[in-house]
Amino acid sequence: MNGLPGMLRVGDLEVIVSVSDRRKSVRLTVERDASVTAVAPSQVSRGELIRVIEAKRSWLYGKLAERRELGETRPAREYVSGEGFPYLGRSYRLRIVEPGSRVRLVRGRLELGEDGGAGELVRWYCGVGEPWLKRRIQPWASRMGAAEWTGLRVRPLGYRWGSCSLNGRLNMHWATMQLPPTLIDYVLVHELAHLRRGDHGSEFWRLVERTMPGYQDRRERLRRLGPDLWLPEEGR
């Protein structure tokens, strides 16, 4: 270990710190509970880490404000017939059926067993999401020459839409399946670009722009739409 503390205070920010030998740069994340975490390479000193956090202070404040907004405005949903749940940008009404039934989309209705709830719906989004997203990402990966891409999983990711690992595997939040396909495309391109650039610097955004001209409009629509999506506490 290099002596980095488990908790670091920088101004009015409290940052939970962990060290990873796999990291080449510091990764800062604002978690779903509005805590700030930093994963740092083992060779980074306390002073270097503080400088990185200070350089990202405005970004962190913006993300913290988004978390507070998401927590305050996200609408609650009930697991009753007639309740609406989004899928690929459209709202589908729930139909409660006999206990033990698996979740299915049938003739424009989302069927859920009367003994089911959030867990069954989340598993359904994951189940339909993985094959759909794997098909959807192929043209974008080809366009970007993203040979680093090795696979894709759908899983809970807190308030992140996606993430990518050092071995080229992408993780996508199951809630992306609630978005319109054009916004899902933006999330996919964003994560594919991270295979080349781990930060959000100018080179990263130039790569996104080359692949998806006018991406800023999609990014703004995604920011506005996020608080309206269904994201239960147990399914994050």
Side-chain angles (χ1 to χ4, degrees):
M1 295 291 289
N2 59 2
L4 287 176
M7 177 73 72
L8 183 64
R9 178 174 285 278
V10 181
D12 57 351
L13 292 171
E14 285 191 348
V15 183
I16 301 168
V17 180
S18 61
V19 175
S20 171
D21 291 331
R22 299 178 63 191
R23 293 294 304 174
K24 295 182 179 179
S25 60
V26 176
R27 183 183 71 198
L28 292 172
T29 305
V30 178
E31 306 292 349
R32 71 181 189 203
D33 61 357
S35 63
V36 180
T37 62
V39 182
S42 56
Q43 69 272 18
V44 167
S45 68
R46 178 189 178 101
E48 290 171 329
L49 178 56
I50 289 174
R51 286 192 288 274
V52 170
I53 295 170
E54 287 177 337
K56 292 286 189 178
R57 188 187 295 266
S58 295
W59 178 83
L60 289 169
Y61 286 149
K63 289 296 181 182
L64 286 167
E66 289 178 14
R67 297 295 180 266
R68 288 191 289 271
E69 180 183 351
L70 286 170
E72 292 168 2
T73 62
R74 190 173 299 282
R77 284 185 170 86
E78 299 181 31
Y79 311 114
V80 297
S81 290
E83 182 64 277
F85 286 83
Y87 174 59
L88 294 179
R90 295 180 55 190
S91 180
Y92 290 88
R93 297 296 178 185
L94 206 62
R95 177 189 291 131
I96 301 300
V97 295
E98 60 272 12
S101 300
R102 62 186 179 90
V103 179
R104 300 188 306 162
L105 188 58
V106 180
R107 294 189 293 276
R109 288 293 186 115
L110 194 57
E111 293 186 347
L112 173 70
E114 64 178 350
D115 54 345
E120 285 72 25
L121 286 168
V122 169
R123 282 189 286 275
W124 179 78
Y125 280 111
C126 289
V128 297
E130 195 154 304
W132 192 94
L133 289 166
K134 285 179 177 178
R135 291 192 300 271
R136 192 78 177 188
I137 199 174
Q138 292 285 0
W140 294 110
S142 297
R143 186 178 305 182
M144 298 173 76
E148 306 94 330
W149 175 60
T150 61
L152 183 149
R153 292 188 304 169
V154 179
R155 53 193 294 265
L157 291 174
Y159 278 114
R160 292 178 295 166
W161 290 112
S163 69
C164 62
S165 63
L166 294 177
N167 64 6
R169 181 177 293 275
L170 272 63
N171 297 306
M172 299 292 291
H173 199 308
W174 57 265
T176 58
M177 296 308 296
Q178 301 178 52
L179 297 169
T182 56
L183 298 190
I184 298 176
D185 287 342
Y186 166 72
V187 178
L188 292 172
V189 169
H190 186 110
E191 295 307 324
L192 286 169
H194 272 311
L195 294 177
R196 300 285 178 84
R197 294 286 176 176
D199 59 12
H200 289 97
S202 57
E203 288 297 323
F204 171 85
W205 291 115
R206 275 195 284 271
L207 176 56
V208 175
E209 177 70 38
R210 285 198 299 270
T211 307
M212 182 177 281
Y215 74 88
Q216 296 90 341
D217 176 66
R218 301 195 204 203
R219 183 175 63 179
E220 177 59 22
R221 286 166 57 206
L222 180 62
R223 187 193 67 79
R224 293 198 307 267
L225 184 59
D228 294 329
L229 300 183
W230 175 65
L231 193 63
E233 184 67 31
E234 63 270 31
R236 290 176 185 174

